[in-house]
Amino acid sequence: MAGHFSSLLTADAQTGERVPVTVLTGFLGSGKTTLLNRLLQQPDLHGMAVIVNEFGEVGIDNDLITKTSDDTILLANGCMCCSVRGDLVAAMNRLGERTDPPLQQVLIETSGLADPGPILRTLMGDAAIRGRFALAGVACTVDAVLCMGTLDRHAESVQQAAVADHLFLTKTDLLESGAPSPDLLARLREINSVAKLHVERDAQPQALRGLVQSPKDSSEVPAGAMYYRSSQTAADAPKDATPAHRDGISSFVVEREQPLPRDAFFAWLDMVIAMRGEDLLRVKGLVHLADEPERPMVIHGVQHLFHPPEFLQAWPGQDRRTRIVFITRGVDAQSMNETLDVLVRRHMRRASQIDASASTQTHP
């Protein structure tokens, strides 16, 4: 195997169970701390550490969390996506060394001004962190009252919604209708068509708890990918179409029924990273490699940085298709699919030629 991505398979071997980490993001005033408090009121939520980041020099969010403990860490005086990333690494390393009581999960509440991308790159790019922790997913709170204007004025809010696995609509009780407008729902689907959308207020803490407690050997890719496909009709969303919208961000799913040759897939992903890495806001997927039929490979990436791929012990269900979710800026889904097809065909031709040559040598 050649290429940067394939080298990740052996560059950083993981051992033991890792602690799931959830990133809770959302723009200023969108209800992150309120949702976190409701999560912490859930019964039997043991072994969770909370890291809170605030933009100002004096932090108060940790004082607003109703169930703080020694496992609540405040990172103030800066945004976690820039000036306090070193503090985040140090805090994670301290948590990773804790043995009594055992750490079960970590939740990071970001500043309302944070772009989650650099935070995800920190979680995936620091060798010490990724040896102890595994990203469970990204949750984003969305203010159902003010969101449309916020998305228009603040690029950070678009980035936050774009990379989320789960979108939690807050403050719906302040709406006259009690439900978010169709325009807002359409806007969120334009920005992120694969995220799970949580509108029912009473169900939100349990939904967040499910994400926080995600086991290492689970993957949300199948559910997200299937939601994307099932929520659109064939007329509005052909398989290779990329939804276009005003924010310049789009999401699509690359799917393959047949197992992929390892070399062809790795060459394709290396090429995508090299050519469009800056525009890959988030990539996650289950990949069916031809030489690993019983174990799906899980990939996670943010821009140029990809976590060393891992193999699950078994497929999570009957569906064994390759499903890779891309959240991108200006990347064409059809070109991505066509390029993968070209590399797979080239691989198959080379394999056929090698087989034919071997057969000729064996039977002169």
Side-chain angles (χ1 to χ4, degrees), residues 125-177:
D126 185 277
I129 288 181
R130 69 181 183 228
R132 294 170 169 172
F133 300 94
L135 179 65
V138 180
C140 177
T141 52
V142 176
D143 185 329
V145 178
L146 301 175
C147 181
M148 290 293 274
T150 300
L151 292 172
D152 287 337
R153 292 189 297 271
H154 301 283
E156 298 92 344
S157 66
V158 178
Q159 296 283 101
Q160 292 163 353
V163 302
D165 301 290
H166 296 254
L167 295 171
F168 291 86
L169 266 69
T170 63
K171 306 183 184 179
T172 54
D173 55 317
L174 302 180
L175 299 172
E176 288 187 10
S177 64

Side-chain angles (χ1 to χ4, degrees), residues 172-224:
T172 54
D173 55 317
L174 302 180
L175 299 172
E176 288 187 10
S177 64
S181 70
D183 288 344
L184 173 57
L185 295 178
R187 180 79 177 273
L188 292 174
R189 282 294 167 220
E190 287 177 347
I191 294 172
N192 187 340
S193 61
V194 296
K196 294 181 181 179
L197 192 59
H198 301 276
V199 179
E200 178 56 50
R201 185 180 186 276
D202 291 341
Q204 290 180 352
Q206 189 61 35
L208 181 57
R209 177 175 177 162
L211 174 60
V212 166
Q213 295 182 323
S214 297
K216 174 188 173 183
D217 60 351
S218 71
S219 172
E220 301 224 0
V221 174

Side-chain angles (χ1 to χ4, degrees), residues 17 216-217 292 294-296 298 310-316:
E17 290 299 316
K216 174 188 173 183
D217 60 351
E292 287 279 359
E294 301 304 322
R295 299 193 304 158
V298 181
E310 299 177 345
F311 289 91
L312 301 185
Q313 291 302 309
W315 286 88

